[in-house]
């Protein structure tokens, strides 16, 4: 199963987070992500991702939660991004083809050659999950199908999602929203016989997820409850009443470089944070230049 994301939209990671426990129950044991860095050789021996080590996009809290959940469930995490040596190989491929081919080779070598019956959830960016070519664009999923003979279930969520304003959204998305078909969770639109509608503006995938627009409370996205995993708490931070600060939340016992559970900008005497339903957390306040100002623990 392959799901893509818009790299700038952290909310696109919520679907993968929801899928992890569902697919685990169906026998999936590998989670592969383009965003994971291969040099993080201890990734499968820790509970959490590390800032600046596990991967640039993974430094964001929702992606960090994906790693935590995958590790909690027992998935083997698989990096598959092309290495520098692969991207600079002397061959007849163009830069795009070389990268996508290397990604497919890495997935095949690190999963299917070792475990031919493996079930894998793959999280990628944009068009890498397309199963069809377009001119000289040869996607990773197309290469992987030829290497393995497997026909993946591919899910796009980069088209039928919110834009910076409604005028920038696909007309079908606006119509689905106006009809009340999109509420709090991603959905797949079907026809009257229950068959998924063909993807719009994104050929070569099986399904197209329609993702909700973001609503905000006190400047924070409400989807940071992560489907019920977190609760919104307004935490006093008097240091922020007059000056902008950055607030980060980790579990008590997490190393200092663990990807935080939440990270927020604070400009008032309280800040809305999204905390685990149980267990103590450690909260750190930083200046915008990342100078540590204060650390305190919160039990509830």
């Amino acid at each position: 199963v392959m799901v893509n994301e818009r790299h700038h939209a952290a909310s696109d990671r919520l679907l993968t987070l929801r899928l992890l426990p569902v697919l685990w129950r169906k026998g999936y044991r590998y989670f592969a992500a383009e965003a994971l860095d291969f040099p993080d050789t201890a990734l499968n021996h820790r509970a959490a991702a590390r800032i600046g080590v596990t991967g640039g996009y993974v430094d964001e809290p929702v992606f960090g939660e994906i790693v935590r959940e995958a590790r909690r469930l027992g998935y083997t995490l698989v990096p598959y991004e092309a290495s520098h040596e692969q991207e600079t190989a002397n061959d007849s491929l163009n830069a795009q083809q070389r990268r996508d081919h290397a990604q497919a080779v890495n997935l095949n070598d690190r999963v299917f050659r070792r475990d031919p019956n493996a079930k894998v959830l793959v999280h990628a960016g944009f068009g890498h999950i397309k199963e069809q070519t377009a001119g000289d664009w040869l996607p990773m999923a197309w290469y992987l199908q030829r290497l393995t003979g497997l026909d993946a279930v591919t899910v796009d969520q980069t088209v039928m999602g919110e834009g910076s304003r409604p005028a920038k959204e696909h007309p079908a998305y606006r119509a689905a929203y106006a009809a009340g078909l999109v509420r709090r969770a991603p959905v797949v639109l079907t026809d009257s016989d229950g068959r998924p509608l063909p993807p719009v503006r994104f050929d070569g995938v099986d399904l197209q997820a329609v993702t909700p627009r973001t609503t905000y409370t006190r400047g924070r996205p409400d989807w940071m409850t992560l489907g019920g995993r977190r609760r919104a708490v307004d935490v006093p931070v008097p240091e922020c009443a007059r000056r902008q600060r950055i607030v980060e939340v980790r579990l008590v016992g997490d190393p200092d470089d663990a990807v935080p559970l939440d990270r927020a900008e604070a400009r008032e005497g309280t800040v809305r944070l999204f905390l685990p339903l149980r267990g103590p957390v450690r909260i750190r306040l930083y200046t915008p230049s990342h100078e540590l100002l204060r650390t305190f623990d919160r039990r509830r």
Side-chain angles (χ1 to χ4, degrees), residues 191-205:
D191 62 21
S192 57
D193 295 322
R195 295 171 298 197
L197 295 179
V200 297
R201 203 189 292 167
F202 203 96
D203 297 330
V205 293

Side-chain angles (χ1 to χ4, degrees), residues 71-251:
R71 291 289 300 125
R72 184 189 71 81
L73 290 166
Y75 280 89
T76 296
L77 276 62
V78 181
Y80 68 87
E81 180 58 280
S83 67
H84 174 73
E85 292 75 14
Q86 288 174 315
E87 289 196 296
T88 56
N90 185 16
D91 54 35
S92 61
L93 303 178
N94 64 37
Q96 175 274 312
Q97 294 167 353
R98 191 175 299 114
R99 180 188 177 197
D100 280 62
H101 179 261
Q103 289 182 339
V105 168
N106 291 341
L107 271 171
N108 187 42
D109 287 349
R110 296 170 191 173
V111 179
F112 296 107
R113 288 172 66 96
R114 300 179 181 185
D115 184 358
N117 297 316
K119 293 183 177 181
V120 189
L121 172 59
V122 178
H123 186 92
F126 293 99
H128 296 293
I129 69 165
K130 289 187 175 185
E131 300 176 72
Q132 298 176 5
T133 63
D136 62 355
W137 170 265
L138 307 182
M140 174 271 290
W142 180 85
Y143 280 118
L144 187 64
Q145 188 176 56
R146 276 142 189 80
L147 287 171
T148 64
L150 297 172
D151 183 10
V153 176
T154 47
V155 185
D156 167 61
Q157 54 176 348
T158 64
V159 175
M160 294 288 276
E162 67 178 330
S164 57
R165 58 183 185 274
K168 289 185 173 292
E169 296 167 349
H170 193 282
Y173 179 80
R174 296 198 300 270
Y177 225 95
L181 301 177
V182 190
R183 294 182 176 89
R184 295 185 178 182
V187 299
V188 173
L189 301 179
T190 63
D191 62 21
S192 57
D193 295 322
R195 295 171 298 197
L197 295 179
V200 297
R201 203 189 292 167
F202 203 96
D203 297 330
V205 293
D206 299 309
L207 301 170
Q208 197 159 48
V210 187
T211 55
R213 288 179 181 141
T214 301
T215 57
Y216 295 88
T217 304
R218 295 205 59 205
R220 300 300 312 281
D222 294 322
W223 48 253
M224 269 300 294
T225 57
L226 305 183
R229 296 167 181 267
R230 304 282 174 78
R231 57 192 175 95
V233 179
D234 293 330
V235 176
V237 282
E239 299 95 330
C240 306
R242 296 184 179 181
R243 294 187 178 183
Q244 173 197 17
R245 303 297 187 211
I246 305 300
V247 185
E248 293 186 347
V249 181
R250 292 174 177 83
L251 295 176

Side-chain angles (χ1 to χ4, degrees), residues 246-298:
I246 305 300
V247 185
E248 293 186 347
V249 181
R250 292 174 177 83
L251 295 176
V252 170
D254 272 352
D256 292 350
D257 65 349
V259 173
L261 304 177
D262 194 12
R263 181 190 292 117
E265 180 185 60
R267 294 175 180 268
E268 302 175 354
T270 61
V271 60
R272 171 148 295 193
L273 299 174
F274 292 88
L275 306 182
L277 302 183
R278 60 186 62 86
V281 296
R282 182 155 293 159
I283 299 174
R284 290 183 172 89
L285 274 66
Y286 296 92
T287 67
S289 59
H290 209 67
E291 176 188 354
L292 180 63
L293 297 175
R294 180 165 69 103
T295 300
F296 62 98
D297 292 353
R298 185 182 178 94

Side-chain angles (χ1 to χ4, degrees), residues 22-53:
V22 175
L23 294 181
W24 177 264
R25 293 193 293 270
K26 295 181 178 294
Y28 283 70
R29 295 295 180 265
Y30 298 88
F31 173 66
E34 171 188 310
L36 299 175
D37 282 350
F38 184 64
D40 186 5
T41 55
L43 177 60
N44 282 298
H45 304 283
R46 294 194 314 271
R50 292 177 59 195
I51 291 178
V53 175

Side-chain angles (χ1 to χ4, degrees), residues 49-64 259-260 263:
R50 292 177 59 195
I51 291 178
V53 175
T54 305
Y57 294 128
V58 188
D59 288 353
E60 184 276 319
V62 181
F63 218 133
V259 173
R263 181 190 292 117

